[in-house]
Amino acid sequence: MKYEDLMSHVGKFGIFQKLIAAAMCLNYFAIGLVLMYNVFILYTPPHQCKLGLTENLTTSNATEIPRNEIYESNGTATENPLRSGECYSYGVSGAYNYTQQACTSGWMYDTVEGVTSITTEFDLVCTQAWIKPFIQSIQLGGVMAGSILGGILSDKYGRRRTLLFHGALLIASIFLLGNMPSIEAIEVFSFILGFASSTTTATSVVILHENIPPKSIAFFGFLQMSFSSLGYAFMSLFDFLVPNWRHLMTGTGIITSVVLLPSLFVPETVRWSLENENEKETLKLLETIAKVNCVNTEEKSVKLTLRQADDRKITPDCESAQPLQIKTKIKEGTLDLFKLPFLRRRFIILGISWFSVGLVYFAFGFNTDNLGVSRHLGACLAALMDIPSNIIGFLLVRTIGKRKAFITLSSMAGVFFLLTPGLRKVNVWVGMVSAMLGKLFASGIISLMIVTTPDFFPTSLRNQAFGACFSIGRLGGMLSPFVIYLGK
């Protein structure tokens, strides 16, 4: 008996499955909130050295140096005969004798009143500027670790337990990150936040795949990604309304708590329960699904169905090489992806694809401050580009297939990203349009990869394969902040 035949007795795609899909979409909205949060809390505004008046300056030699009028003394703006740069100040110690000195008095940031970030609070500029990409990389390092361990934890302890535990860890880490007193503590909780968000992401994808019929997975997968984009777009608006980074994280924690609340009512998946020989739990799940779907079935009938499934063969999906029996516990690890040639070939190709797309996607996301427009507008447009990209990706998959869709999206993204630097020299807005089109197609690739990667592997390896590919993509993302840093 096939798994789909078993589910047909309690409703294959009824109210129950749709409620699960809605809860997983809300989870992705929460993930969207923290996907690029570093863009906002690590914002680096225009800045220059904070200067003090120097002695031995005469009118004659001071006039040789451009004057700077942002010097502050006891709250009073005073004209300063020093020239201030981002990392150095220049003074005169005698006639035409210019001296360069480091910013010993700190920095002044050109921001609207009330705007703060980790960069402005801890002066992560000049010799300390490397800490900013390091924090971004640490967060993505946590994401990579979560994508590896998340699949293992999910397979061992169940989808529901893993989702609830890491959802709670995600909420706690958001609150704690916004209250940390030092850079070291911020780095630690950035890693934890990345780890929790990654595990929540991977588990949500698997729960969706194990509850939704194969024909509907692509649609709901792209819908899930669109909710993530809405979360990212909302974060840009929220940062505009709450410019203090500590208050921003507190507010984000509250919103995340509300959005993840429906996950409390998500039960374990029937697939996992079957594979772990939990007959009582499986029976209870089937009865619950039948009740929610308003399917009239007696307990005796459900037990008979389960007994038939127990005695006969259950095939979780048509791609399994061997039929899976309930009483046969599969113990396979990530290394099994390399044992069969066709699985090894799929994993290598997908790994290269995930790495490339991860590098490009996050490099663009972390660089929205440099698009030549308002940082909030740039971030919001970049987020909203993901929604039409999901629609395009879905339509391409339905019309030309997954392989040709991937080739098309990759080619178009590469062309527009290559054109962007040259077009920016002609006109800032034309360059931004080109960059956004590149982001549109790159986001379509991400959505396509997330939706289709689990389908390339058997059920017993699906979670671990997705987690491994996801972690490779985040490895590319970890390098992206330093690519931007080197570019500067």
Side-chain angles (χ1 to χ4, degrees):
M1 179 183 290
K2 292 183 179 181
Y3 174 80
E4 287 74 17
D5 296 332
L6 176 63
M7 293 302 297
S8 65
H9 288 270
V10 292
K12 293 176 65 174
F13 190 45
I15 298 175
F16 177 85
Q17 287 82 2
K18 292 173 183 176
L19 289 174
I20 294 294
M24 296 305 100
C25 285
L26 288 176
N27 285 358
Y28 257 64
F29 182 88
I31 298 303
L33 292 175
V34 297
L35 179 65
M36 293 288 183
Y37 74 98
N38 276 326
V39 172
F40 308 107
I41 69 172
L42 287 171
Y43 167 58
T44 303
H47 55 279
Q48 56 187 29
C49 290
K50 186 184 293 183
L51 301 176
L53 290 174
T54 56
E55 299 178 356
N56 300 323
L57 285 174
T58 65
T59 303
S60 59
N61 60 34
T63 55
E64 302 296 331
I65 298 175
R67 296 178 179 271
N68 190 308
E69 296 184 356
I70 67 164
Y71 166 73
E72 293 184 0
S73 177
N74 298 324
T76 303
T78 306
E79 189 174 63
N80 196 316
L82 295 180
R83 179 163 61 89
S84 176
E86 286 190 351
C87 298
Y88 298 96
S89 61
Y90 302 87
V92 286
S93 57
Y96 305 105
N97 185 15
Y98 300 87
T99 61
Q100 176 180 293
Q101 59 187 21
C103 300
T104 57
S105 300
W107 286 264
M108 298 190 70
Y109 297 93
D110 184 14
T111 60
V112 179
E113 184 178 358
V115 174
T116 66
S117 68
I118 295 177
T119 300
T120 62
E121 183 173 329
F122 294 96
D123 289 331
L124 303 185
V125 293
C126 299
T127 57
Q128 301 297 312
W130 64 271
I131 297 178
K132 176 180 174 178
F134 184 67
I135 293 175
Q136 294 171 326
S137 186
I138 281 180
Q139 178 219 348
L140 293 174
V143 171
M144 185 175 70
S147 60
I148 297 173
L149 296 178
I152 298 174
L153 295 173
S154 178
D155 288 339
K156 183 176 182 179
Y157 298 105
R159 319 307 193 207
R160 171 180 163 80
R161 292 177 184 174
T162 304
L163 180 66
L164 294 182
F165 175 79
H166 289 93
L169 182 63
L170 174 63
I171 295 169
S173 61
I174 294 173
F175 280 113
L176 292 172
L177 177 63
N179 290 278
M180 289 299 103
S182 66
I183 285 294
E184 292 75 16
I186 289 173
E187 291 170 349
V188 170
F189 280 96
S190 292
F191 181 88
I192 296 174
L193 193 154
F195 177 86
S197 65
S198 174
T199 307
T200 303
T201 300
T203 308
S204 297
V205 170
V206 173
I207 289 176
L208 185 71
H209 272 257
E210 295 186 352
N211 279 282
I212 301 299
K215 292 183 179 179
S216 302
I217 285 177
F219 171 78
F220 280 97
F222 283 113
L223 182 63
Q224 210 176 23
M225 293 301 298
S226 296
F227 269 80
S228 175
S229 304
L230 290 174
Y232 180 23
F234 177 83
M235 192 65 173
S236 64
L237 173 62
F238 196 42
D239 179 68
F240 178 77
L241 298 175
V242 186
N244 183 295
W245 79 271
R246 292 190 182 274
H247 298 163
L248 177 70
M249 295 306 295
T250 300
T252 302
I254 295 173
I255 296 172
T256 304
S257 302
V258 175
V259 172
L260 291 181
L261 191 61
S263 295
L264 292 172
F265 306 98
V266 173
E268 187 55 76
T269 66
V270 175
R271 284 185 188 271
W272 187 86
S273 183
L274 284 172
E275 290 186 4
N276 286 270
E277 307 175 11
N278 195 332
E279 184 174 342
K280 291 183 178 179
E281 183 180 11
T282 304
L283 177 61
K284 185 178 179 181
L285 285 170
L286 291 172
E287 292 173 344
T288 300
I289 296 171
K291 183 178 180 180
V292 175
N293 286 340
C294 299
V295 175
N296 294 323
T297 178
E298 298 179 358
E299 181 181 354
K300 182 179 179 181
S301 175
V302 175
K303 287 184 177 180
L304 178 61
T305 302
L306 186 60
R307 190 177 299 114
Q308 290 173 345
D310 184 54
D311 294 335
R312 300 291 93 198
K313 297 176 181 178
I314 287 212
T315 306
D317 53 58
C318 60
E319 296 176 355
S320 296
Q322 298 293 332
L324 173 67
Q325 295 180 352
I326 291 180
K327 295 299 182 182
T328 302
K329 199 166 187 177
I330 303 298
K331 292 184 179 181
E332 296 176 328
T334 305
L335 293 178
D336 291 289
L337 293 170
F338 298 94
K339 292 181 179 179
L340 296 176
F342 81 97
L343 288 180
R344 181 169 60 248
R345 183 170 59 253
R346 289 181 181 182
F347 181 74
I348 292 174
I349 293 173
L350 288 170
I352 295 172
S353 302
W354 272 92
F355 179 87
S356 304
V357 175
L359 178 63
V360 172
Y361 184 88
F362 283 98
F364 183 89
F366 290 140
N367 200 40
T368 50
D369 290 353
N370 299 317
L371 291 177
V373 296
S374 164
R375 62 191 182 97
H376 295 104
L377 177 61
C380 186
L381 289 175
L384 294 178
M385 279 293 109
D386 291 354
I387 297 177
S389 75
N390 293 330
I391 297 174
I392 293 173
F394 174 73
L395 294 176
L396 287 175
V397 169
R398 294 292 295 269
T399 53
I400 63 177
K402 300 172 184 177
R403 180 172 176 271
K404 291 182 180 179
F406 176 80
I407 294 172
T408 302
L409 292 170
S410 301
S411 301
M412 297 302 294
V415 168
F416 281 109
F417 280 137
L418 285 172
L419 290 175
T420 297
L423 292 176
R424 282 198 63 186
K425 294 179 180 179
V426 177
N427 184 278
V428 172
W429 287 99
V430 173
M432 191 193 72
V433 170
S434 177
M436 288 299 172
L437 289 173
K439 173 64 161 52
L440 183 146
F441 291 109
S443 299
I445 302 171
I446 288 283
S447 302
L448 178 65
M449 301 285 284
I450 289 178
V451 170
T452 61
T453 294
D455 294 337
F456 286 103
F457 302 96
T459 300
S460 55
L461 288 171
R462 178 173 291 163
N463 206 20
Q464 296 178 58
F466 179 81
C469 290
F470 195 82
S471 65
I472 293 173
R474 292 307 180 261
L475 178 61
M478 287 178 65
L479 298 177
S480 62
F482 293 100
V483 171
I484 299 171
Y485 179 67
L486 292 175
K488 292 181 178 180

